[in-house]
Amino acid sequence: MTTVFATLTKPLTAVLAKLRIDPFIAGILATVGVASLLPASGVVAQGFGTATNVAVGLLFFLYGARLSPQEALDGLRHWRLHTVVLCATFVLFPLLGLATAVLSPGLLSPDLYTGVLFLCVLPSTVQSSIAFTSIARGNVAAAICSASLSNMLGIVVTPLLVALLLSTDGGGINGSAVLDIVLQLLVPFVAGQLARRWIGDWITRHSAPLKIFDRGSILLVVYTAFSAGMTEGIWHRIDLLSLLVLAAVCAVILGLVLSVTGAGAKLLGFGRADRITILFCGSKKSLASGLPMATVLFGHDRVGLIVLPLMLFHQIQLIVCAALARRYAREGVPAPDDALVRAA
């Protein structure tokens, strides 16, 4: 089946290569286009939501099966790396969010500014951080631990930062979110670890087609998230100038975080694989965690515009990090901080 897929996609890949367009980025943009024209809604959206949850669970099962127990323990012990990622996620990002106050209310409406600040206090993504780290040949074991730890802490830290930095309309974080994280992330990963002795060799032999699944899971997240925004109609509640300013703000925040984490990791003496992990885990914000949190922390009449910065940032981070991940995967790729300086 893998051979058939490669044969069918070879002409398209060749065309994209001639045009110097990364096929993965083209896939993300195409997915956004499909979601804009044919957004999932109702029962279909629920089906895609379920499929996304299943894909995330299977992704973690595969990561658990790929990693030896010793590699997993090494990832847990990498406390310096986790500290840097958490500082980027819950300190650097909020500081940059607060700095955007100079744009409100002139260029950013109060709701959009609130959305930018809310974006900046969210935990890191899980599946895309790990998938990009894997594609870029970073420290996957540390990425799994770091991204999972960020999400677990985010259940508590994000509402506390929202309460500290923003005024909300009440509500707290439902304890079921903790259970969701355990069921979707920890349980499949442990199951993969337990099944490794039986399927580890098979997974090693089929690493190439399994990479397709890694990237496919990201495309599924993109379609599901973008469809949700389209069905809510939030794109019709903002003018073009505000949208462009908001996109620029998101791009600048992402660029600054990528630059600081890349250069900072090198200054702190981390090796290349660890620097890649810090770069991808420390620069992401979770749409999957952010949307349900926003519905709890803010009033329903405001949540549409408040999550718009998160949705824009999510698309930008996927496109930029997909390009970076593929670039780092090639032979002779420079260190992350050097690449970012030239990309800026």
Side-chain angles (χ1 to χ4, degrees), residues 245-326:
V245 170
L246 182 59
V249 168
C250 292
V252 169
I253 290 176
L254 177 61
L256 288 173
V257 173
L258 287 170
S259 298
V260 172
T261 53
K266 185 175 182 179
L267 289 174
L268 291 172
F270 287 98
R272 181 179 182 276
D274 289 341
R275 297 204 305 270
I276 288 174
T277 302
I278 291 171
L279 188 77
F280 287 119
C281 292
S283 62
K284 300 288 191 308
K285 288 297 177 178
S286 176
L287 184 69
S289 298
L291 291 178
M293 284 186 180
T295 59
V296 174
L297 294 171
F298 302 99
H300 291 285
D301 58 332
R302 298 177 60 200
V303 71
L305 285 178
I306 287 176
V307 300
L308 180 56
L310 173 59
M311 295 189 66
L312 274 177
F313 186 89
H314 187 77
Q315 308 307 319
I316 294 171
Q317 74 180 8
L318 289 177
I319 294 171
V320 172
C321 291
L324 289 175
R326 290 295 299 275

